[in-house]
């Protein structure tokens, strides 16, 4: 059983109870450090808009879906 999960932007691994930002549409998950710098097709300069899908918003979560 692993309690380590990886950020999908910077690839760093953090413990499960780190606060994550997760997209409510596509479940793109990043660490808090990446909130201002994740980039993708739909967001170039970070922020709460998901960079990986058209309509998703990043939400603070401490629950990790397995
Ligand atoms: Zn990160
Ligand atoms: Zn998304």
């Amino acid at each position: 059983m692993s309690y380590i999960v990886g950020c999908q932007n910077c690839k760093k691994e953090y413990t499960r109870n780190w606060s994550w930002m997760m997209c409510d549409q596509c479940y793109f998950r990043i660490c808090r450090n990446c909130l201002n710098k994740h980039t993708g097709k739909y967001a170039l300069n970070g922020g709460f808009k998901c960079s990986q899908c058209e309509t998703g918003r990043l939400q603070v979560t401490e629950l990790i879906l397995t």
Side-chain angles (χ1 to χ4, degrees):
M1 201 157 76
S2 174
Y3 288 91
I4 303 295
V5 290
C7 172
Q8 293 178 17
N9 184 67
C10 67
K11 312 299 184 193
K12 282 183 188 163
E13 293 183 333
Y14 295 95
T15 56
R16 184 189 176 103
N17 55 13
W18 178 268
S19 291
W20 296 91
M21 307 300 297
M22 188 184 288
C23 176
D24 56 5
Q25 296 294 315
C26 70
Y27 302 109
F28 174 62
R29 184 186 62 228
I30 59 173
C31 66
R32 295 294 288 269
N33 294 338
C34 287
L35 181 62
N36 294 321
K37 57 187 179 185
H38 65 97
T39 61
K41 188 174 176 182
Y42 298 102
L44 296 178
N45 295 302
F48 285 92
K49 174 66 190 64
C50 178
S51 59
Q52 307 300 306
C53 68
E54 196 170 353
T55 58
R57 303 274 308 170
L58 298 175
Q59 312 276 354
V60 179
T61 181
E62 297 186 6
L63 295 175
I64 300 302
L65 303 176
T66 54

